[in-house]
Amino acid sequence: MDTETLERNYREIQSAVHPDRFAHLSDQERRLSMQWATRVNEAYRTLRAPLLRAAYWLQLNGIDAGMENNTAMPAEFLMEQMEWREAVEEARASRDMDELDGLHRRLRQSLNAIHAELAECIDVQQDGEAAAGVLRRALFLDKLRQEIDDALIELES
Amino acid sequence: MALLQISEPGESTAPHQHRLAVGIDLGTTNSLVATVRNSMPVVLNDLEGRALLPSIVYYKPDGGVDVGYDAQPAQASDPRNCIVSVKRFMGRGLRDVTHVETMPYDFVDSEGMVRLRTVQGVRSPVEVSAEILRVLRDRAEASLGGELTGAVITVPAYFDDAQRQATKDAARLAGINVFRLLNEPTAAAIAYGLDNAAEGVYAVYDLGGGTFDFSVLKLSRGVFEVLATSGDAALGGDDFDQRAYCWMLDTANIRFPSAKDSRRMLLKAREMKEHLTGHDEARVVMTLSTEQVVDLTLSRDTFADTTKHLVAKTLAPVRKALRDAGLQPEDVKGVVMVGGATRMPHVQRAVGEFFGQTPLTNLDPDKVVAIGAAIQANALAGNRMADEDWLLLDVIPLSLGLETMGGLVEKVIPRNSTIPIARAQEFTTFKDGQTAMAFHVVQGERELVSDCRSLARFELRGIPPMVAGAARIRVTFQVDADGLLSVSAREMTSGVEAQVQVKPSYGLSDDEIANMLQSGFDFANADMQARALSEQRVEAQRGLEAVQAALDVDSALLNAEERAAIEQTMQNVRAKMAGEDHRAIKEAVEQLNRDTTEFAARRMDQSVRRALAGQRVDTITFSKSAT
């Protein structure tokens, strides 16, 4: 997807509907503008974030990613997950912010690699089932990233 | 200040169409008011030519109220009745306030927001802030020669819902129509960005008197998009004063200073801090009420050393915002410094080292926020020039969520979501025949409810009895462009509904505000009537102009019948405006609003269609992801 086009279109539409354009107008116009701006923000948020975008694509194509129930993962991936988790727990317990920061960065690199994999499944192979599998792994990593984030916030506060 | 050639000379709107609008920076230490005049943003001075209004309110024993410089002397002579830094108490309970022990006030720890007992009775922080706002409103109206249509009031980006609501209430109490609450760093970014035609990723480091904000923005072709914001709503220049004050106590070996001595020494501490910005050392000589003579010299290095943990404390939110935005320090093109406290050399040094570049200090850090607010107010009032095309996309600073089983928080809207935003979540009953469900709305990042701020509690009643798990209760969070939250809950199978404007646990009720307004500080009843009438006429005029403008452009969207109906309602508004009954005017305006709903919806659809013209959903593919 051409993110520049997405961004440009988003900004164009938001320019047309944003509440700031209607602040001096009637109550109706202000309310409608807020509803529209809300929808546009939601659409942009979904299309901009690779994982949400992929989930949306799967949904449009009628593929159930089974994110809640289907936790079957390759053993290798699960091992890796456990190692990540141990590293995070250790860093958290020893209040090692630099280590957490480093883990956060490495995790983001892994996520970027997964995004490329997703793009391959969806755009090139058009293989929805494979994409759903990759997406499930990606969501695992994303959850882990959030946990590191929470740990950092807790240590910093 | 060289700022903003918004339009060519002669292109400005006709004077009678120019709506008077101001930007107000309601600061912890100082407040300002600014406006856009002849296409140039200017700060409005008082009669003595001073731009700043110290945020000090003195409740005098004789029943009068002094605000600003007039109130300053009372800080030392009557500290209990002279309220400084009231912003620290906005939307806060007593246990949230730091350094209570060194404050000279008589706190009343009531349910919700803390209150202060003064010689004139108990005052809420909202009322104290309203006194400051009223002085600024009077200054603006005197200077601009007319009644204000509205104002943009700035708040720290890291203010939570309760603090925002309190600020809006204060404005209402001061008789100010609030166009928008605007985040302070965003206001600074507008002023800086438009002035310098900046493009790229910029950061704003805003260390004010009592609050710290840090925002990362992407500036691109007139769009100011906030990527992430963070901060500390209880950290600012005051804390540096406090450290210098403690250093004085320690060094001079003073144990229990009286309230007056304490206040005097704090003022001296602040003077020393400010002196150290341009000098290597600062000396203080004063005689306390105990006859003890204090004669101390504070060096810049010592001061930097005793406050270095405060500077370090600002860097944690900086790292968090960058992490949230997925950026490294070197991705930031420029760091704009805002707030008087960023004048301290060791603060500038620390920021410079973190980002590997000299921070931008070319705008007056005291005025830039008010200037940005004035520019936004001018645009929101509809005074925008033809070639002035920019847009602001801001975010919420803190996640919003609901309490779930076990005192845990379920996040509904994550922090740094672009506003306005709505998000719904479904819940179900956990007992057979359950007919009511309680909701607890919280704000914050922590997992436990007890670590987050409680915003509101409400109940959905009248759920038809069903087996456990059969009811589907959809809770919707809507955050508007001011960053204020409203929540509604609806049982989907029966349609039972409950709605709350989040009037937070720490806010004032509508009744309280109505009472405060009626008990009228400065207007007698007749004045109130006159004011209401004049406000309704302004409102009606605004409505008529809006509809007329819409008709001029888009009457093609209406058939003859519809158009005639709208024109008749407009005629009715004009007739009522000629009368003296403000309620009749209000009714007529409401009627006009109802009759133009469909027209407004068609216009909105049309503008969306235009913006979408030529775009096709199926051209969107997946790759080249944003991160």
Side-chain angles (χ1 to χ4, degrees), chain A residues 1 11 20 28 41 123 149, chain B residues 180 225 415 420 593 621 623:
Chain A
M1 185 183 67
R11 285 157 179 231
D20 283 1
Q28 275 79 14
N41 276 336
D123 289 339
D149 220 48
Chain B
R180 185 78 81 238
E225 185 182 359
R415 66 173 184 273
N593 279 339
T621 56
S623 47

Side-chain angles (χ1 to χ4, degrees), chain B residues 270-385:
Chain B
R270 173 178 294 176
E271 277 171 29
M272 286 202 290
K273 174 190 78 177
E274 287 169 0
H275 188 77
L276 287 173
T277 291
H279 303 84
D280 288 334
E281 51 183 44
R283 184 173 173 210
V284 57
V285 184
M286 64 191 291
T287 309
L288 303 182
S289 56
T290 55
E291 303 288 304
Q292 184 182 350
V293 176
V294 176
D295 183 348
L296 299 169
T297 300
L298 176 61
S299 75
R300 192 188 256 185
D301 288 345
T302 307
F303 180 60
D305 201 49
T306 52
T307 56
K308 65 169 189 266
H309 66 289
L310 294 173
V311 180
K313 218 173 152 188
T314 67
L315 292 179
V318 168
R319 277 192 291 268
K320 175 170 152 228
L322 288 175
R323 209 160 54 228
D324 285 352
L327 297 169
Q328 300 296 321
E330 57 270 23
D331 297 329
V332 174
K333 200 166 156 191
V335 185
V336 181
M337 299 294 265
V338 183
T342 59
R343 289 200 175 90
M344 286 184 276
H346 64 302
V347 171
Q348 295 190 4
R349 206 164 47 236
V351 174
E353 276 167 18
F354 184 88
F355 285 98
Q357 59 177 300
T358 313
L360 304 163
T361 52
N362 51 338
L363 288 178
D364 183 334
D366 286 325
K367 293 182 180 166
V368 58
V369 167
I371 294 278
I375 297 170
Q376 164 87 331
N378 191 56
L380 294 187
N383 297 332
R384 201 184 272 267
M385 314 294 159

Side-chain angles (χ1 to χ4, degrees), chain B residues 40 61 66 81 107 169 183 251 283 320 323 331 338 346 371 375 391 402 451 587:
Chain B
M40 291 289 283
D66 281 342
N81 296 303
F107 289 104
D169 288 345
N183 291 328
T251 316
R283 184 173 173 210
K320 175 170 152 228
R323 209 160 54 228
D331 297 329
V338 183
H346 64 302
I371 294 278
I375 297 170
L391 180 71
L402 286 166
D451 292 332
E587 270 165 34

Side-chain angles (χ1 to χ4, degrees), chain A residues 3-5 7-9 11-12 15 21, chain B residues 194 197-200 218-224 389-391:
Chain A
T3 53
E4 262 176 44
T5 309
E7 218 177 289
R8 197 171 52 242
N9 291 348
R11 285 157 179 231
E12 242 166 65
S15 291
R21 301 282 156 139
Chain B
L194 292 178
E199 293 269 315
K218 184 170 176 185
L219 279 55
S220 163
R221 284 163 294 189
V223 178
F224 295 76
D389 195 23
W390 53 273
L391 180 71

Side-chain angles (χ1 to χ4, degrees), chain B residues 20-26 31-35 44-45 53 67 129-151 153 170-178 517 521-523 527-528 531-532 534-535:
Chain B
L20 301 181
V22 293
I24 293 176
D25 175 1
L26 183 61
S31 297
L32 296 93
V33 57
T35 193
L44 300 173
N45 294 340
L53 177 73
V67 177
S129 298
E131 296 288 356
I132 299 167
L133 287 169
R134 202 170 289 124
V135 171
L136 294 172
R137 187 197 77 196
D138 291 347
R139 181 192 288 187
E141 291 186 344
S143 162
L144 301 174
E147 207 163 297
L148 295 182
T149 315
I153 299 182
R172 205 166 132 204
L173 214 50
I176 295 171
N177 171 35
V178 181
L517 279 172
F521 305 79
D522 49 17
F523 359 84
D527 286 347
M528 287 277 285
R531 179 134 198 129
S534 124
E535 275 172 8

Side-chain angles (χ1 to χ4, degrees), chain B residues 144-299:
Chain B
L144 301 174
E147 207 163 297
L148 295 182
T149 315
V152 166
I153 299 182
T154 60
V155 290
Y158 215 56
F159 254 20
D160 64 26
D161 199 86
Q163 294 167 303
R164 282 168 200 268
Q165 193 64 58
T167 306
K168 218 173 172 182
D169 288 345
R172 205 166 132 204
L173 214 50
I176 295 171
N177 171 35
V178 181
F179 283 144
R180 185 78 81 238
L181 297 178
L182 177 62
N183 291 328
E184 287 159 9
T186 315
I190 294 176
Y192 179 85
L194 292 178
D195 194 27
N196 295 276
E199 293 269 315
V201 173
Y202 280 79
V204 179
Y205 180 101
D206 180 357
L207 189 60
T211 55
F212 173 65
D213 277 336
F214 180 78
S215 290
V216 192
L217 298 97
K218 184 170 176 185
L219 279 55
S220 163
R221 284 163 294 189
V223 178
F224 295 76
E225 185 182 359
V226 180
L227 301 177
T229 193
S230 69
D232 188 330
L235 174 64
D238 283 3
D239 297 290
F240 290 76
D241 301 350
Q242 190 75 29
R243 288 308 306 158
Y245 162 82
C246 290
W247 174 85
M248 282 169 79
L249 292 184
D250 285 351
T251 316
N253 209 2
I254 303 164
R255 286 286 153 73
F256 302 106
S258 70
K260 279 186 190 176
D261 282 342
S262 174
R263 176 53 59 187
R264 282 175 61 218
M265 278 192 285
L266 253 177
L267 290 172
K268 286 289 177 198
R270 173 178 294 176
E271 277 171 29
M272 286 202 290
K273 174 190 78 177
E274 287 169 0
H275 188 77
L276 287 173
T277 291
H279 303 84
D280 288 334
E281 51 183 44
R283 184 173 173 210
V284 57
V285 184
M286 64 191 291
T287 309
L288 303 182
S289 56
T290 55
E291 303 288 304
Q292 184 182 350
V293 176
V294 176
D295 183 348
L296 299 169
T297 300
L298 176 61
S299 75

Side-chain angles (χ1 to χ4, degrees), chain B residues 487-510:
Chain B
V487 183
S488 59
R490 186 187 171 92
E491 203 288 302
M492 301 305 283
T493 55
S494 66
V496 174
E497 199 155 347
Q499 192 140 23
V500 279
Q501 263 296 335
V502 175
K503 264 294 180 185
S505 326
Y506 287 85
L508 299 174
S509 69
D510 273 345

